[in-house]
Structures are given as C-alpha cells and as structure tokens.
Amino acid sequence: MKVVKETKKIIDLIYAYEPLCYYFGLVPEQFWNNKIKENIIYVQSKMAKKLDNLREQVNLLEVTTNKLIKADAMSTRNPEIINIKDFYESIFDNNEKQQDNGAKDIERFFNSLMKAEEDE
C-alpha cells in the first residue's frame, strides 16, 4: 500500500494496484478490462474482508484462551486475564472511522491524479 500512496501519475497507480488485484484473485484479463476505480474498490473490499477475518480470529482466540485460563483453577484461584485485543489495538480502534477516512482519502487522491493528468 505504501507504493500506492507514493504514486504521482495515474499509470503508476494502475501498475501499483496490478499485483494487489492479482493477489486477491483477479485474473489479468479482468484487471485490464476493468476501470481503475473498479480495481481500487475490489482491492479495498478484499482488504476490508481480510481485516474482518483477522478481527474474528483474534476474538475467537481471546474467548478460547480466557475459557482455558478460567478452567485451570488448579494453578491459581484468581487468574489474571490479559486481553489479546490490547496487543492489536490498531485493528480494533475506530475501525469504522478509519475505513471511511481511507476510502475518502483514496477517492481524493484518485481525483487529484485525474486532474493532474488532464492538466498535462
């Protein structure tokens, strides 16, 4: 994603999104027949899904671990439970705001690239 944010021209943006689209399952024919905006939306939706899956896995691990810790009452009577979410604060803090801001940032960036290309 760093490469995508550092692009200055629309052609660079297209080539930056190409490997991401292929990674998420788009075939070259589909990539080149789609509009760049469609490819960006495709990558954003796949990345959001991947992040949601990660959150689900962390939540499941946390619930399972907490139950195991509570079940092991032989070691201590009041076991200390540390939330796994505390280690992954970046993916659990302001999730909706980050997604909305990210989509708006990409839209603004894309529009500025289009305007710069038209000016040239």
Short mmCIF file of all heavy atoms in Angstrom, two decimals, residues 40-103:
data_model
loop_
_atom_site.label_atom_id
_atom_site.label_comp_id
_atom_site.label_asym_id
_atom_site.label_seq_id
_atom_site.Cartn_x
_atom_site.Cartn_y
_atom_site.Cartn_z
N ILE A 40 -9.74 -0.53 -7.71
CA ILE A 40 -9.48 0.02 -6.38
C ILE A 40 -10.54 -0.45 -5.40
O ILE A 40 -10.23 -0.87 -4.28
CB ILE A 40 -9.41 1.57 -6.45
CG1 ILE A 40 -8.15 2.00 -7.19
CG2 ILE A 40 -9.45 2.18 -5.05
CD1 ILE A 40 -8.09 3.48 -7.50
N ILE A 41 -11.80 -0.40 -5.82
CA ILE A 41 -12.89 -0.87 -4.96
C ILE A 41 -12.73 -2.35 -4.65
O ILE A 41 -12.95 -2.80 -3.52
CB ILE A 41 -14.25 -0.57 -5.60
CG1 ILE A 41 -14.49 0.94 -5.62
CG2 ILE A 41 -15.38 -1.29 -4.88
CD1 ILE A 41 -15.68 1.38 -6.46
N TYR A 42 -12.32 -3.12 -5.64
CA TYR A 42 -12.10 -4.56 -5.46
C TYR A 42 -11.04 -4.81 -4.39
O TYR A 42 -11.24 -5.61 -3.47
CB TYR A 42 -11.69 -5.19 -6.79
CG TYR A 42 -11.40 -6.66 -6.73
CD1 TYR A 42 -12.43 -7.59 -6.73
CD2 TYR A 42 -10.09 -7.13 -6.66
CE1 TYR A 42 -12.17 -8.94 -6.66
CE2 TYR A 42 -9.82 -8.48 -6.60
CZ TYR A 42 -10.86 -9.39 -6.60
OH TYR A 42 -10.60 -10.73 -6.52
N VAL A 43 -9.91 -4.11 -4.50
CA VAL A 43 -8.83 -4.28 -3.54
C VAL A 43 -9.26 -3.83 -2.15
O VAL A 43 -9.00 -4.50 -1.14
CB VAL A 43 -7.55 -3.53 -3.99
CG1 VAL A 43 -6.52 -3.47 -2.87
CG2 VAL A 43 -6.95 -4.21 -5.21
N GLN A 44 -9.96 -2.69 -2.06
CA GLN A 44 -10.42 -2.19 -0.77
C GLN A 44 -11.36 -3.18 -0.10
O GLN A 44 -11.27 -3.43 1.10
CB GLN A 44 -11.14 -0.85 -0.93
CG GLN A 44 -10.23 0.30 -1.20
CD GLN A 44 -10.99 1.59 -1.43
OE1 GLN A 44 -12.17 1.58 -1.77
NE2 GLN A 44 -10.31 2.70 -1.26
N SER A 45 -12.29 -3.75 -0.87
CA SER A 45 -13.23 -4.70 -0.28
C SER A 45 -12.53 -5.97 0.17
O SER A 45 -12.84 -6.51 1.24
CB SER A 45 -14.36 -5.02 -1.26
OG SER A 45 -13.85 -5.68 -2.39
N LYS A 46 -11.57 -6.44 -0.60
CA LYS A 46 -10.82 -7.64 -0.20
C LYS A 46 -9.97 -7.37 1.05
O LYS A 46 -9.88 -8.23 1.93
CB LYS A 46 -9.92 -8.13 -1.34
CG LYS A 46 -10.68 -8.70 -2.51
CD LYS A 46 -11.36 -9.99 -2.13
CE LYS A 46 -11.99 -10.64 -3.32
NZ LYS A 46 -12.56 -11.96 -3.02
N MET A 47 -9.38 -6.18 1.13
CA MET A 47 -8.57 -5.84 2.30
C MET A 47 -9.46 -5.70 3.54
O MET A 47 -9.08 -6.12 4.64
CB MET A 47 -7.76 -4.58 2.05
CG MET A 47 -6.65 -4.80 1.05
SD MET A 47 -5.65 -3.36 0.76
CE MET A 47 -4.66 -3.35 2.24
N ALA A 48 -10.64 -5.11 3.38
CA ALA A 48 -11.58 -4.99 4.50
C ALA A 48 -12.01 -6.37 4.98
O ALA A 48 -12.10 -6.61 6.19
CB ALA A 48 -12.79 -4.15 4.09
N LYS A 49 -12.27 -7.28 4.04
CA LYS A 49 -12.66 -8.64 4.40
C LYS A 49 -11.52 -9.35 5.14
O LYS A 49 -11.75 -10.05 6.13
CB LYS A 49 -13.03 -9.42 3.13
CG LYS A 49 -13.42 -10.84 3.37
CD LYS A 49 -14.71 -10.95 4.13
CE LYS A 49 -15.11 -12.40 4.25
NZ LYS A 49 -16.06 -12.63 5.30
N LYS A 50 -10.30 -9.15 4.67
CA LYS A 50 -9.14 -9.76 5.33
C LYS A 50 -8.99 -9.23 6.76
O LYS A 50 -8.70 -9.99 7.69
CB LYS A 50 -7.89 -9.47 4.51
CG LYS A 50 -6.79 -10.47 4.66
CD LYS A 50 -5.78 -10.26 3.54
CE LYS A 50 -4.68 -11.24 3.56
NZ LYS A 50 -5.00 -12.57 3.12
N LEU A 51 -9.20 -7.94 6.94
CA LEU A 51 -9.11 -7.34 8.27
C LEU A 51 -10.23 -7.85 9.18
O LEU A 51 -10.01 -8.12 10.36
CB LEU A 51 -9.15 -5.81 8.17
CG LEU A 51 -8.90 -5.03 9.43
CD1 LEU A 51 -7.53 -5.33 10.01
CD2 LEU A 51 -9.03 -3.54 9.16
N ASP A 52 -11.43 -8.00 8.63
CA ASP A 52 -12.54 -8.55 9.40
C ASP A 52 -12.26 -9.98 9.83
O ASP A 52 -12.55 -10.37 10.97
CB ASP A 52 -13.85 -8.52 8.60
CG ASP A 52 -14.41 -7.12 8.46
OD1 ASP A 52 -14.02 -6.23 9.25
OD2 ASP A 52 -15.25 -6.91 7.56
N ASN A 53 -11.67 -10.77 8.94
CA ASN A 53 -11.29 -12.14 9.30
C ASN A 53 -10.26 -12.16 10.42
O ASN A 53 -10.33 -13.00 11.33
CB ASN A 53 -10.76 -12.89 8.08
CG ASN A 53 -11.85 -13.23 7.09
OD1 ASN A 53 -13.03 -13.21 7.40
ND2 ASN A 53 -11.44 -13.51 5.86
N LEU A 54 -9.31 -11.25 10.35
CA LEU A 54 -8.30 -11.16 11.41
C LEU A 54 -8.95 -10.81 12.74
O LEU A 54 -8.63 -11.41 13.78
CB LEU A 54 -7.24 -10.13 11.05
CG LEU A 54 -6.15 -9.89 12.09
CD1 LEU A 54 -5.34 -11.17 12.33
CD2 LEU A 54 -5.25 -8.75 11.68
N ARG A 55 -9.87 -9.86 12.72
CA ARG A 55 -10.58 -9.48 13.96
C ARG A 55 -11.36 -10.67 14.53
O ARG A 55 -11.35 -10.91 15.74
CB ARG A 55 -11.55 -8.33 13.69
CG ARG A 55 -10.88 -7.02 13.53
CD ARG A 55 -11.94 -5.91 13.45
NE ARG A 55 -11.34 -4.74 12.87
CZ ARG A 55 -11.67 -4.21 11.70
NH1 ARG A 55 -12.64 -4.73 10.99
NH2 ARG A 55 -11.07 -3.15 11.25
N GLU A 56 -12.03 -11.42 13.64
CA GLU A 56 -12.78 -12.60 14.09
C GLU A 56 -11.85 -13.62 14.73
O GLU A 56 -12.17 -14.21 15.77
CB GLU A 56 -13.53 -13.23 12.93
CG GLU A 56 -14.74 -12.45 12.49
CD GLU A 56 -15.42 -13.08 11.28
OE1 GLU A 56 -15.25 -14.29 11.05
OE2 GLU A 56 -16.12 -12.35 10.56
N GLN A 57 -10.70 -13.85 14.12
CA GLN A 57 -9.74 -14.81 14.66
C GLN A 57 -9.22 -14.37 16.03
O GLN A 57 -9.10 -15.18 16.95
CB GLN A 57 -8.57 -15.01 13.70
CG GLN A 57 -8.93 -15.76 12.46
CD GLN A 57 -7.76 -15.86 11.48
OE1 GLN A 57 -6.74 -15.21 11.65
NE2 GLN A 57 -7.93 -16.68 10.46
N VAL A 58 -8.93 -13.07 16.16
CA VAL A 58 -8.44 -12.55 17.44
C VAL A 58 -9.52 -12.70 18.51
O VAL A 58 -9.25 -13.12 19.64
CB VAL A 58 -7.98 -11.08 17.30
CG1 VAL A 58 -7.74 -10.45 18.66
CG2 VAL A 58 -6.72 -11.01 16.45
N ASN A 59 -10.76 -12.37 18.16
CA ASN A 59 -11.87 -12.51 19.12
C ASN A 59 -12.06 -13.96 19.54
O ASN A 59 -12.25 -14.26 20.72
CB ASN A 59 -13.17 -11.97 18.53
CG ASN A 59 -13.20 -10.46 18.49
OD1 ASN A 59 -12.57 -9.79 19.30
ND2 ASN A 59 -13.93 -9.91 17.53
N LEU A 60 -12.00 -14.88 18.58
CA LEU A 60 -12.14 -16.30 18.89
C LEU A 60 -11.00 -16.79 19.77
O LEU A 60 -11.23 -17.52 20.75
CB LEU A 60 -12.20 -17.11 17.59
CG LEU A 60 -12.37 -18.61 17.74
CD1 LEU A 60 -13.70 -18.93 18.43
CD2 LEU A 60 -12.30 -19.29 16.39
N LEU A 61 -9.79 -16.39 19.46
CA LEU A 61 -8.64 -16.77 20.29
C LEU A 61 -8.78 -16.23 21.71
O LEU A 61 -8.45 -16.91 22.68
CB LEU A 61 -7.34 -16.27 19.67
CG LEU A 61 -6.82 -17.05 18.48
CD1 LEU A 61 -5.65 -16.32 17.84
CD2 LEU A 61 -6.40 -18.44 18.90
N GLU A 62 -9.25 -15.00 21.82
CA GLU A 62 -9.41 -14.40 23.13
C GLU A 62 -10.44 -15.15 23.97
O GLU A 62 -10.20 -15.46 25.14
CB GLU A 62 -9.79 -12.93 23.01
CG GLU A 62 -9.88 -12.23 24.35
CD GLU A 62 -10.07 -10.75 24.20
OE1 GLU A 62 -10.89 -10.32 23.39
OE2 GLU A 62 -9.38 -10.03 24.93
N VAL A 63 -11.57 -15.47 23.38
CA VAL A 63 -12.62 -16.19 24.10
C VAL A 63 -12.12 -17.56 24.52
O VAL A 63 -12.30 -17.98 25.68
CB VAL A 63 -13.89 -16.31 23.24
CG1 VAL A 63 -14.89 -17.27 23.84
CG2 VAL A 63 -14.54 -14.94 23.05
N THR A 64 -11.47 -18.26 23.60
CA THR A 64 -10.95 -19.60 23.90
C THR A 64 -9.89 -19.55 24.99
O THR A 64 -9.93 -20.35 25.94
CB THR A 64 -10.35 -20.23 22.62
OG1 THR A 64 -11.34 -20.21 21.60
CG2 THR A 64 -9.91 -21.65 22.88
N THR A 65 -8.98 -18.63 24.88
CA THR A 65 -7.91 -18.51 25.87
C THR A 65 -8.46 -18.15 27.24
O THR A 65 -8.05 -18.73 28.26
CB THR A 65 -6.89 -17.44 25.43
OG1 THR A 65 -6.44 -17.76 24.12
CG2 THR A 65 -5.72 -17.38 26.37
N ASN A 66 -9.40 -17.23 27.29
CA ASN A 66 -9.99 -16.85 28.57
C ASN A 66 -10.71 -18.02 29.23
O ASN A 66 -10.62 -18.21 30.44
CB ASN A 66 -10.95 -15.67 28.39
CG ASN A 66 -10.23 -14.39 28.06
OD1 ASN A 66 -9.01 -14.30 28.17
ND2 ASN A 66 -10.96 -13.39 27.61
N LYS A 67 -11.41 -18.83 28.44
CA LYS A 67 -12.10 -20.00 29.00
C LYS A 67 -11.08 -21.02 29.53
O LYS A 67 -11.30 -21.62 30.57
CB LYS A 67 -12.99 -20.64 27.95
CG LYS A 67 -14.26 -19.86 27.70
CD LYS A 67 -15.20 -20.57 26.77
CE LYS A 67 -16.47 -19.76 26.62
NZ LYS A 67 -17.48 -20.43 25.84
N LEU A 68 -9.98 -21.20 28.80
CA LEU A 68 -8.96 -22.14 29.27
C LEU A 68 -8.31 -21.65 30.56
O LEU A 68 -8.02 -22.44 31.46
CB LEU A 68 -7.89 -22.35 28.19
CG LEU A 68 -8.32 -23.17 26.97
CD1 LEU A 68 -7.25 -23.11 25.89
CD2 LEU A 68 -8.60 -24.60 27.38
N ILE A 69 -8.06 -20.36 30.63
CA ILE A 69 -7.45 -19.80 31.84
C ILE A 69 -8.39 -19.96 33.03
O ILE A 69 -7.98 -20.35 34.12
CB ILE A 69 -7.06 -18.33 31.63
CG1 ILE A 69 -5.90 -18.23 30.64
CG2 ILE A 69 -6.70 -17.65 32.95
CD1 ILE A 69 -5.60 -16.82 30.18
N LYS A 70 -9.66 -19.67 32.83
CA LYS A 70 -10.65 -19.80 33.91
C LYS A 70 -10.84 -21.26 34.31
O LYS A 70 -11.09 -21.56 35.48
CB LYS A 70 -11.98 -19.19 33.50
CG LYS A 70 -11.95 -17.68 33.43
CD LYS A 70 -13.27 -17.11 32.97
CE LYS A 70 -13.21 -15.61 32.82
NZ LYS A 70 -14.46 -15.04 32.29
N ALA A 71 -10.74 -22.17 33.35
CA ALA A 71 -10.92 -23.59 33.64
C ALA A 71 -9.76 -24.16 34.44
O ALA A 71 -9.93 -25.13 35.18
CB ALA A 71 -11.08 -24.37 32.35
N ASP A 72 -8.60 -23.57 34.32
CA ASP A 72 -7.43 -24.06 35.03
C ASP A 72 -7.36 -23.40 36.41
O ASP A 72 -6.45 -22.64 36.70
CB ASP A 72 -6.17 -23.77 34.22
CG ASP A 72 -4.94 -24.41 34.84
OD1 ASP A 72 -5.09 -25.38 35.60
OD2 ASP A 72 -3.84 -23.91 34.58
N ALA A 73 -8.30 -23.72 37.25
CA ALA A 73 -8.36 -23.13 38.59
C ALA A 73 -7.36 -23.78 39.54
O ALA A 73 -7.18 -23.32 40.67
CB ALA A 73 -9.76 -23.25 39.15
N MET A 74 -6.71 -24.84 39.09
CA MET A 74 -5.76 -25.52 39.97
C MET A 74 -4.49 -24.70 40.17
O MET A 74 -3.87 -24.77 41.22
CB MET A 74 -5.40 -26.89 39.39
CG MET A 74 -6.59 -27.82 39.29
SD MET A 74 -6.16 -29.34 38.47
CE MET A 74 -5.87 -30.37 39.89
N SER A 75 -4.11 -23.92 39.18
CA SER A 75 -2.86 -23.17 39.31
C SER A 75 -3.04 -21.94 40.19
O SER A 75 -2.22 -21.67 41.04
CB SER A 75 -2.34 -22.78 37.93
OG SER A 75 -3.29 -21.98 37.27
N THR A 76 -4.09 -21.20 39.98
CA THR A 76 -4.38 -20.03 40.82
C THR A 76 -5.88 -19.88 40.94
O THR A 76 -6.65 -20.31 40.09
CB THR A 76 -3.83 -18.73 40.17
OG1 THR A 76 -4.39 -18.58 38.88
CG2 THR A 76 -2.31 -18.75 40.07
N ARG A 77 -6.27 -19.25 42.03
CA ARG A 77 -7.72 -19.07 42.24
C ARG A 77 -8.28 -17.92 41.42
O ARG A 77 -9.38 -17.99 40.93
CB ARG A 77 -8.00 -18.85 43.72
CG ARG A 77 -7.72 -20.09 44.49
CD ARG A 77 -8.30 -20.00 45.85
NE ARG A 77 -8.04 -21.28 46.49
CZ ARG A 77 -8.86 -21.86 47.30
NH1 ARG A 77 -9.98 -21.28 47.62
NH2 ARG A 77 -8.57 -23.02 47.81
N ASN A 78 -7.54 -16.85 41.33
CA ASN A 78 -7.99 -15.69 40.55
C ASN A 78 -6.96 -15.40 39.45
O ASN A 78 -6.12 -14.53 39.60
CB ASN A 78 -8.16 -14.46 41.45
CG ASN A 78 -9.27 -14.64 42.46
OD1 ASN A 78 -10.31 -15.20 42.13
ND2 ASN A 78 -9.05 -14.19 43.68
N PRO A 79 -7.05 -16.12 38.36
CA PRO A 79 -6.05 -15.91 37.31
C PRO A 79 -6.20 -14.53 36.66
O PRO A 79 -7.29 -13.99 36.55
CB PRO A 79 -6.36 -17.02 36.30
CG PRO A 79 -7.79 -17.34 36.53
CD PRO A 79 -8.05 -17.09 37.99
N GLU A 80 -5.07 -13.97 36.28
CA GLU A 80 -5.07 -12.68 35.60
C GLU A 80 -5.31 -12.92 34.12
O GLU A 80 -4.61 -13.69 33.48
CB GLU A 80 -3.75 -11.97 35.80
CG GLU A 80 -3.67 -10.62 35.13
CD GLU A 80 -2.33 -9.95 35.31
OE1 GLU A 80 -1.50 -10.45 36.08
OE2 GLU A 80 -2.13 -8.93 34.65
N ILE A 81 -6.32 -12.24 33.60
CA ILE A 81 -6.65 -12.39 32.18
C ILE A 81 -6.23 -11.11 31.46
O ILE A 81 -6.65 -10.02 31.81
CB ILE A 81 -8.15 -12.67 31.99
CG1 ILE A 81 -8.51 -14.00 32.63
CG2 ILE A 81 -8.50 -12.65 30.51
CD1 ILE A 81 -9.98 -14.33 32.59
N ILE A 82 -5.37 -11.28 30.48
CA ILE A 82 -4.91 -10.15 29.67
C ILE A 82 -5.62 -10.24 28.32
O ILE A 82 -5.58 -11.28 27.66
CB ILE A 82 -3.38 -10.21 29.48
CG1 ILE A 82 -2.68 -10.17 30.84
CG2 ILE A 82 -2.91 -9.08 28.58
CD1 ILE A 82 -1.22 -10.47 30.78
N ASN A 83 -6.24 -9.16 27.92
CA ASN A 83 -6.97 -9.15 26.66
C ASN A 83 -6.01 -9.17 25.47
O ASN A 83 -5.06 -8.40 25.41
CB ASN A 83 -7.85 -7.90 26.55
CG ASN A 83 -9.03 -7.97 27.50
OD1 ASN A 83 -9.52 -9.04 27.80
ND2 ASN A 83 -9.48 -6.82 27.94
N ILE A 84 -6.28 -10.06 24.55
CA ILE A 84 -5.49 -10.14 23.33
C ILE A 84 -5.68 -8.86 22.51
O ILE A 84 -4.77 -8.40 21.84
CB ILE A 84 -5.87 -11.39 22.51
CG1 ILE A 84 -5.53 -12.65 23.30
CG2 ILE A 84 -5.16 -11.39 21.16
CD1 ILE A 84 -5.98 -13.93 22.62
N LYS A 85 -6.88 -8.29 22.59
CA LYS A 85 -7.17 -7.07 21.83
C LYS A 85 -6.23 -5.93 22.20
O LYS A 85 -5.98 -5.05 21.39
CB LYS A 85 -8.61 -6.63 22.05
CG LYS A 85 -9.62 -7.55 21.43
CD LYS A 85 -11.03 -7.06 21.72
CE LYS A 85 -12.06 -8.03 21.22
NZ LYS A 85 -13.41 -7.60 21.54
N ASP A 86 -5.71 -5.96 23.41
CA ASP A 86 -4.77 -4.92 23.83
C ASP A 86 -3.49 -4.95 22.98
O ASP A 86 -2.84 -3.93 22.79
CB ASP A 86 -4.41 -5.07 25.30
CG ASP A 86 -5.60 -4.81 26.22
OD1 ASP A 86 -6.58 -4.20 25.75
OD2 ASP A 86 -5.54 -5.22 27.39
N PHE A 87 -3.13 -6.13 22.48
CA PHE A 87 -1.94 -6.25 21.65
C PHE A 87 -2.21 -5.86 20.19
O PHE A 87 -1.30 -5.64 19.43
CB PHE A 87 -1.39 -7.67 21.70
CG PHE A 87 -0.86 -8.04 23.06
CD1 PHE A 87 -1.60 -8.82 23.91
CD2 PHE A 87 0.37 -7.58 23.48
CE1 PHE A 87 -1.12 -9.16 25.17
CE2 PHE A 87 0.87 -7.91 24.73
CZ PHE A 87 0.11 -8.71 25.58
N TYR A 88 -3.48 -5.82 19.82
CA TYR A 88 -3.88 -5.47 18.46
C TYR A 88 -4.77 -4.24 18.45
O TYR A 88 -5.77 -4.18 17.74
CB TYR A 88 -4.62 -6.64 17.80
CG TYR A 88 -3.76 -7.87 17.63
CD1 TYR A 88 -3.86 -8.93 18.51
CD2 TYR A 88 -2.86 -7.96 16.58
CE1 TYR A 88 -3.07 -10.07 18.36
CE2 TYR A 88 -2.07 -9.08 16.42
CZ TYR A 88 -2.18 -10.13 17.31
OH TYR A 88 -1.41 -11.25 17.15
N GLU A 89 -4.39 -3.24 19.21
CA GLU A 89 -5.21 -2.03 19.31
C GLU A 89 -5.42 -1.35 17.96
O GLU A 89 -6.47 -0.79 17.71
CB GLU A 89 -4.56 -1.04 20.28
CG GLU A 89 -4.63 -1.46 21.72
CD GLU A 89 -3.94 -0.48 22.64
OE1 GLU A 89 -3.46 0.57 22.16
OE2 GLU A 89 -3.89 -0.75 23.84
N SER A 90 -4.42 -1.42 17.10
CA SER A 90 -4.51 -0.71 15.82
C SER A 90 -5.64 -1.23 14.94
O SER A 90 -6.18 -0.48 14.15
CB SER A 90 -3.19 -0.79 15.07
OG SER A 90 -2.88 -2.14 14.78
N ILE A 91 -6.00 -2.51 15.06
CA ILE A 91 -7.08 -3.01 14.21
C ILE A 91 -8.44 -2.95 14.89
O ILE A 91 -9.45 -3.18 14.24
CB ILE A 91 -6.81 -4.46 13.74
CG1 ILE A 91 -6.78 -5.43 14.90
CG2 ILE A 91 -5.56 -4.52 12.92
CD1 ILE A 91 -6.78 -6.87 14.47
N PHE A 92 -8.47 -2.60 16.17
CA PHE A 92 -9.75 -2.52 16.86
C PHE A 92 -10.17 -1.10 17.22
O PHE A 92 -11.31 -0.87 17.57
CB PHE A 92 -9.72 -3.37 18.14
CG PHE A 92 -9.75 -4.84 17.87
CD1 PHE A 92 -8.60 -5.59 17.91
CD2 PHE A 92 -10.93 -5.47 17.55
CE1 PHE A 92 -8.63 -6.94 17.65
CE2 PHE A 92 -10.98 -6.83 17.29
CZ PHE A 92 -9.81 -7.56 17.33
N ASP A 93 -9.28 -0.12 17.12
CA ASP A 93 -9.61 1.26 17.46
C ASP A 93 -10.20 1.98 16.26
O ASP A 93 -9.61 2.01 15.19
CB ASP A 93 -8.37 2.04 17.93
CG ASP A 93 -7.94 1.60 19.31
OD1 ASP A 93 -8.72 0.93 20.01
OD2 ASP A 93 -6.80 1.94 19.70
N ASN A 94 -11.36 2.57 16.45
CA ASN A 94 -12.00 3.42 15.44
C ASN A 94 -12.04 2.76 14.06
O ASN A 94 -11.69 3.37 13.06
CB ASN A 94 -11.31 4.77 15.34
CG ASN A 94 -11.29 5.49 16.66
OD1 ASN A 94 -12.26 5.43 17.41
ND2 ASN A 94 -10.20 6.18 16.96
N ASN A 95 -12.48 1.51 14.02
CA ASN A 95 -12.47 0.77 12.76
C ASN A 95 -13.31 1.45 11.68
O ASN A 95 -12.87 1.59 10.54
CB ASN A 95 -13.01 -0.64 12.98
CG ASN A 95 -12.10 -1.45 13.87
OD1 ASN A 95 -10.90 -1.26 13.84
ND2 ASN A 95 -12.67 -2.32 14.65
N GLU A 96 -14.51 1.87 12.02
CA GLU A 96 -15.40 2.47 11.03
C GLU A 96 -14.84 3.80 10.54
O GLU A 96 -14.88 4.10 9.35
CB GLU A 96 -16.79 2.65 11.61
CG GLU A 96 -17.48 1.33 11.90
CD GLU A 96 -18.79 1.51 12.63
OE1 GLU A 96 -19.20 2.67 12.85
OE2 GLU A 96 -19.40 0.50 12.97
N LYS A 97 -14.31 4.61 11.45
CA LYS A 97 -13.76 5.90 11.05
C LYS A 97 -12.58 5.72 10.12
O LYS A 97 -12.43 6.43 9.14
CB LYS A 97 -13.34 6.71 12.28
CG LYS A 97 -14.50 7.22 13.10
CD LYS A 97 -14.00 8.02 14.28
CE LYS A 97 -15.17 8.49 15.14
NZ LYS A 97 -14.70 9.22 16.32
N GLN A 98 -11.72 4.75 10.44
CA GLN A 98 -10.55 4.51 9.60
C GLN A 98 -10.95 4.06 8.21
O GLN A 98 -10.37 4.49 7.22
CB GLN A 98 -9.64 3.45 10.24
CG GLN A 98 -8.89 3.96 11.45
CD GLN A 98 -8.07 2.86 12.11
OE1 GLN A 98 -8.14 1.71 11.72
NE2 GLN A 98 -7.32 3.22 13.13
N GLN A 99 -11.96 3.19 8.11
CA GLN A 99 -12.38 2.72 6.80
C GLN A 99 -13.00 3.85 5.99
O GLN A 99 -12.73 3.98 4.80
CB GLN A 99 -13.38 1.57 6.95
CG GLN A 99 -12.74 0.29 7.43
CD GLN A 99 -13.75 -0.81 7.68
OE1 GLN A 99 -14.94 -0.60 7.57
NE2 GLN A 99 -13.26 -1.98 8.04
N ASP A 100 -13.83 4.68 6.63
CA ASP A 100 -14.44 5.80 5.93
C ASP A 100 -13.39 6.79 5.47
O ASP A 100 -13.42 7.26 4.34
CB ASP A 100 -15.48 6.51 6.82
CG ASP A 100 -16.73 5.67 7.03
OD1 ASP A 100 -16.94 4.72 6.25
OD2 ASP A 100 -17.48 5.97 7.97
N ASN A 101 -12.46 7.13 6.36
CA ASN A 101 -11.40 8.07 6.02
C ASN A 101 -10.50 7.53 4.92
O ASN A 101 -10.09 8.26 4.03
CB ASN A 101 -10.57 8.44 7.25
CG ASN A 101 -11.35 9.30 8.22
OD1 ASN A 101 -12.34 9.92 7.86
ND2 ASN A 101 -10.90 9.34 9.46
N GLY A 102 -10.20 6.24 4.98
CA GLY A 102 -9.35 5.63 3.96
C GLY A 102 -9.99 5.67 2.59
O GLY A 102 -9.34 5.99 1.60
N ALA A 103 -11.27 5.38 2.53
CA ALA A 103 -11.98 5.42 1.25
C ALA A 103 -12.04 6.85 0.71
O ALA A 103 -11.83 7.07 -0.49
CB ALA A 103 -13.39 4.86 1.41
#
